[in-house]
Amino acid sequence: MRRSTVWAASLLALPFIAFAQAPSSQVFGYSDFSQQAKWDKAFLAIPDAKLAGEELKTLTAEPHWASSPEDHKTALYVAEKFKAAGLHTEIQEFRVWLNKPAKIEIEAFDAKGKKLMSGLTPEHVDPKAYGGDPFQNDPRILPAFNGSSASGDVTAEVVYANYGALEDFKKLASLGISVKGKIVLVRYGQNFRGVKAYIAQQYGAAGVLIYSDPADDGYARGDMYPRGPYRPASGVQRGSVQFLPIYAGDPETPGIAATPDLPDSQRVTDPAKMNQPSIPVNPLSYLDASPILEALDGPETPRAWQGALPFTYHLGGTGAVKVHMDLVQDYKLRTIWDVVGTIDGTDPDQKDDWVVAGNHRDAWVFGAVDPNSGTAAMLEAVHGLGDLLKQGWKPKRRIVIASWDAEEEGLMGSTEWVEMHTKELAHAVAYFNTDVGVAGPDFDASAVPSLQEFVRDVTREVPSPKGGTVYEQWKLSQETSPRHRGPAVDGDVPSGDAVRVGDLGSGSDFTPFIQHLGVPSTDIGSSGSYGVYHSVFDNYNWFIKFADPTFVYEQQQARVFGLEILHMADTDVLPYDYRLYGKDIEGYVAEAEKRATTAKMKVDFSAASAAARRFEAAGESVYKLQSSAATGTNAAKLNAALRDAETALLNQAGLPHRPWYKHTIYDPGEYTGYAAVVIPGVNEGIEADDSGRTQGQLDALAAALNRSAAILEGAAQ
């Protein structure tokens, strides 16, 4: 819900104590929270809504696709902000394999050769209606394209495949409709766009077109931009179609950093071994997709496949419609720029334990919501930390804050940096991510289970623009109108009345931290009526009309993000709750056993079940010690064990078919991409009906849980 300027401005004038919950002197992880409470109060007063708005306006003034000159300008801007706050700042370059569209031509013809459409139609709204859009005619806007698409000149019949999920392709096969040699038309939603291409390629498709159906983010949801917040007819969702569930980062350097001096001999250059499709893939607006869909014949689609366009959808594949795709991609090694700022730690025993926080900076076009609403919030969090430094505050642990580049192309900036700093990150105590910082008023978060209560505690301290605390409004939004923020996946309903915190799948920069290296991670953001994702219209004009006109939610997100960093940098005992972790894992194992039993698989869950119970019991024991531990050398030793327990949940052999992903509890699904699959090795083995694979993954899970439990047991003695 939008708030008026007068209402929001008057709220900002209220004293902090009037609308935020006073922190308790007893906070998990601290022997005495009173001094931290003083620093928290000082910090919360600093992030500034007006400054956040100015920062967002500067960051989104130009299209800044990764590796472009405009992208480099944003890197310099962020670096200056970091330096002004007193952070030691450097710009780290990487050379990564990126495509830029050189030619995008798509035409459709009916069976008689009549041209049905010729595109792409430029993204454009009526400049005289509802204020128009002041950004849409910028000549630097690239044609709508998919990162990681292959080049190709293909003419083929069209088959409509709904969302392009695995079950959709299976349904087509059951109906006797083959996609082999065809161009598959699918709509955005339900799964990661790269997975749509991944499955289509496996089924033999010659090309893929991905369009935005108005049922999902257009007029069926509400008024179209610029009258309302939803996608107009010409709006196109760009995005990478990299096979992200196989590995993240630069396609040529899985597992190693793509530094400027990396020899070409260490790069993967065989396309068959890379994480990119071998067929052409491109996005469409529903303005361009509509004449193709309307001309398709053949059987009517299943009712659930019907979108909101004003005609009955058919499956096609009969020759009634042919599409010609002529895509020329300019692939080359391009330079990207991560901006990294640090604040040194002061505790002799823990100063090399890193607290890392980050947000990506690159955008498909202007990127007001995704990602620069998060960048502006991060800059105001940095502003707050800088002022605390001037007041004499010094963190116990080292703080590392990063502005990642080329996230949109496949989490490249964060992944390459993580692969460069593998040794140091073995001691990182947390990674805090924000991406879509502000798309509207509804706060949301995802985290590993051990940090779910930590996130709740932080939000109990931060005032909400709607009154009360962020936590209270978060809880209310879940009770009245639950929403899901893209890659976040709802976790299990917690005990008591606590808010739900989602599981970490993929689709943002936490992926290499938690799923490749095992660094405990969180991801925060906020949602709303955000219908212009990855389009030209995700710009400053849309943002001030429909997301956060007075930037009070930017201020809120800066406060939450900053408190996460402050608390993790200074807590006496690391605030991981392995009790919650253990309970969740026990539930995951029990549910997987039910699935395997239903499928009549001959696998033995006894070792994994016993290991899950052992892990939960160890978590209960160490929690008692955490709650009573004092500061000093014993705390440092305990903290090292607590941190090692998360790393122990990795399986260094990785998942079958995709060894880059090593976490035994949470990874993106091979056929979902964004959404998390819990105990993925086991559940994907069951899905594949492969008893041998499932048993092997059960054994690996049991070994990981026993390793972690042994570490916790040792710490609790």
Side-chain angles (χ1 to χ4, degrees):
M1 181 183 294
R2 291 183 61 202
R3 301 293 183 181
S4 72
T5 301
V6 173
W7 182 90
S10 64
L11 180 61
L12 281 174
L14 292 173
F16 165 71
I17 195 69
F19 62 101
Q21 181 174 311
S24 167
S25 60
Q26 297 298 315
V27 173
F28 183 58
Y30 291 88
S31 57
D32 182 356
F33 191 69
S34 56
Q35 180 56 53
Q36 184 66 53
K38 294 176 182 177
W39 287 124
D40 285 4
K41 186 175 182 180
F43 170 80
L44 289 167
I46 300 165
D48 185 270
K50 182 179 179 181
L51 284 177
E54 292 172 358
E55 289 154 354
L56 182 67
K57 189 173 186 179
T58 299
L59 288 160
T60 60
E62 301 172 308
H64 51 286
W65 174 71
S67 80
S68 68
E70 295 81 10
D71 179 41
H72 187 237
K73 285 171 65 175
T74 64
L76 296 175
Y77 176 76
V78 169
E80 286 305 310
K81 289 285 184 176
F82 281 11
K83 291 174 184 176
L87 278 62
H88 306 294
T89 304
E90 67 172 348
I91 296 179
Q92 173 67 59
E93 294 185 356
F94 295 101
R95 294 176 71 232
V96 296
W97 189 243
L98 293 181
N99 64 304
K100 182 179 181 180
K103 179 182 180 182
I104 305 288
E105 290 186 1
I106 299 171
E107 299 175 302
F109 302 89
D110 68 14
K112 296 180 180 179
K114 178 184 176 182
K115 186 177 289 187
L116 301 172
M117 63 81 67
S118 180
L120 302 171
T121 302
E123 291 176 277
H124 195 269
V125 295
D126 185 346
K128 298 179 181 179
Y130 304 101
D133 182 88
F135 294 92
Q136 63 186 2
N137 294 322
D138 192 305
R140 294 165 294 187
I141 296 170
L142 295 174
F145 75 107
N146 284 129
S148 283
S149 169
S151 296
D153 189 346
V154 177
T155 301
E157 298 175 17
V158 178
V159 173
Y160 172 63
N162 194 29
Y163 287 110
L166 183 60
E167 56 267 28
D168 295 331
F169 283 94
K170 289 180 177 179
K171 181 66 174 179
L172 285 172
S174 73
L175 294 171
I177 297 175
S178 171
V179 302
K180 188 173 183 180
K182 308 289 197 338
I183 290 174
V184 177
L185 178 63
V186 297
R187 54 175 166 158
Y188 273 112
Q190 300 296 318
N191 60 1
F192 171 56
R193 71 189 74 79
V195 169
K196 302 175 193 290
Y198 180 65
I199 303 171
Q201 183 172 305
Q202 290 179 347
Y203 273 76
V208 180
L209 294 172
I210 315 176
Y211 82 102
S212 296
D213 197 286
D216 300 303
D217 62 6
Y219 57 73
R221 300 289 303 277
D223 283 330
M224 295 185 295
Y225 180 75
R227 183 179 185 179
Y230 288 100
R231 192 179 302 271
S234 63
V236 184
Q237 182 191 143
R238 296 152 177 81
S240 172
V241 290
Q242 185 188 83
F243 296 162
L244 185 61
I246 306 303
Y247 62 88
D250 173 37
E252 293 193 339
T253 59
I256 58 174
T259 55
D261 59 352
L262 183 72
D264 289 347
S265 61
Q266 293 190 43
R267 290 182 173 272
V268 175
T269 56
D270 181 355
K273 297 179 180 179
M274 295 163 69
N275 61 344
Q276 297 181 303
S278 60
I279 58 177
V281 186
N282 214 75
L284 291 178
S285 64
Y286 62 82
L287 178 66
D288 284 341
S290 180
I292 301 174
L293 275 166
E294 188 171 15
L296 290 178
D297 59 9
E300 291 184 14
T301 65
R303 285 300 85 201
W305 291 27
Q306 174 72 39
L309 292 168
F311 47 78
T312 299
Y313 290 22
H314 292 78
L315 296 174
T318 63
V321 181
K322 287 188 176 181
V323 161
H324 174 220
M325 297 177 67
D326 188 3
L327 309 187
V328 179
Q329 306 289 356
D330 175 18
Y331 269 101
K332 65 174 64 173
L333 290 174
R334 291 182 159 94
T335 299
I336 61 171
W337 305 274
D338 288 347
V339 184
V340 182
T342 60
I343 302 172
D344 289 339
T346 58
D347 184 288
D349 297 311
Q350 300 180 91
K351 64 182 180 180
D352 293 326
D353 294 344
W354 292 9
V355 177
V356 188
N359 156 265
H360 80 93
R361 188 187 67 257
D362 66 293
W364 286 107
V365 194
F366 298 100
V369 171
D370 181 10
N372 295 126
S373 64
T375 311
M378 182 176 73
L379 289 178
E380 280 308 293
V382 169
H383 173 199
L385 296 177
D387 273 25
L388 291 194
L389 287 170
K390 295 173 185 176
Q391 296 175 38
W393 164 79
K394 295 179 180 179
K396 291 180 180 179
R397 302 176 182 89
R398 189 184 200 204
I399 294 172
V400 181
I401 301 180
S403 172
W404 309 118
D405 204 355
E407 185 270 359
E408 295 293 5
E409 301 288 340
L411 320 182
M412 292 191 186
S414 57
T415 298
E416 301 315 307
W417 188 87
V418 164
E419 291 172 344
M420 171 183 275
H421 293 283
T422 298
K423 182 178 179 181
E424 297 91 337
L425 290 170
H427 304 288
V429 297
Y431 173 67
F432 299 130
N433 191 66
T434 189
D435 188 336
V436 176
V438 180
D442 295 334
F443 181 85
D444 203 359
S446 301
V448 292
S450 58
L451 288 178
Q452 289 180 357
E453 189 61 23
F454 170 80
V455 176
R456 296 184 186 111
D457 280 345
V458 166
T459 60
R460 290 182 176 107
E461 272 193 69
V462 178
S464 167
K466 290 185 280 189
T469 66
V470 172
Y471 180 85
E472 290 164 347
Q473 294 297 337
W474 184 12
K475 184 172 183 291
L476 182 63
S477 71
Q478 288 192 351
E479 292 170 346
T480 57
S481 56
R483 287 172 174 163
H484 312 298
R485 198 174 48 81
V489 180
D490 275 348
D492 295 335
V493 177
S495 59
D497 62 351
V499 297
R500 295 183 301 276
V501 181
D503 298 330
L504 293 169
S506 188
S508 196
D509 292 303
F510 54 79
T511 289
F513 287 91
I514 180 62
Q515 291 151 352
H516 187 62
L517 291 189
V519 179
S521 300
T522 74
D523 181 40
I524 66 166
S526 66
S527 62
S529 300
Y530 178 37
V532 294
Y533 176 66
H534 284 191
S535 75
V536 164
F537 308 115
D538 183 359
N539 58 41
Y540 185 80
N541 187 64
W542 186 95
F543 190 89
I544 60 174
K545 289 182 72 171
F546 302 114
D548 190 11
T550 55
F551 311 104
V552 289
Y553 291 98
E554 289 283 356
Q555 182 183 50
Q556 168 191 287
Q557 295 303 96
R559 287 167 165 170
V560 174
F561 200 56
L563 280 194
E564 284 191 296
I565 297 166
L566 274 175
H567 284 199
M568 193 60 71
D570 284 337
T571 184
D572 298 324
V573 175
L574 293 173
Y576 307 148
D577 188 344
Y578 282 106
R579 303 173 309 163
L580 297 176
Y581 219 149
K583 289 175 183 175
D584 280 356
I585 293 171
E586 276 201 274
Y588 300 154
V589 173
E591 184 61 31
E593 186 169 14
K594 290 179 184 177
R595 291 183 63 221
T597 300
T598 300
K600 299 180 179 180
M601 297 181 72
K602 295 181 179 180
V603 289
D604 184 359
F605 275 77
S606 58
S609 297
R613 291 192 297 271
R614 179 186 176 187
F615 179 78
E616 183 189 358
E620 291 281 357
S621 297
V622 82
Y623 185 85
K624 295 175 183 177
L625 181 60
Q626 288 171 275
S627 300
S628 60
T631 59
T633 56
N634 288 336
K637 183 178 179 181
L638 172 60
N639 286 337
L642 290 167
R643 172 62 185 84
D644 289 346
E646 180 72 51
T647 304
L649 293 174
L650 301 182
N651 174 9
Q652 293 303 328
L655 289 174
H657 314 309
R658 43 199 191 112
W660 189 88
Y661 287 96
K662 301 181 184 301
H663 208 280
T664 59
I665 313 301
Y666 298 104
D667 286 299
E670 182 177 1
Y671 293 107
T672 62
Y674 279 151
V677 171
V678 299
I679 54 172
V682 175
N683 276 314
E684 291 183 344
I686 296 170
E687 183 69 26
D689 195 25
D690 186 332
S691 296
R693 172 177 163 184
T694 302
Q695 189 64 60
Q697 292 300 302
L698 279 167
D699 294 344
L701 173 64
L705 290 171
N706 282 323
R707 282 194 303 271
S708 188
I711 292 169
L712 296 176
E713 289 163 353
Q717 291 178 354

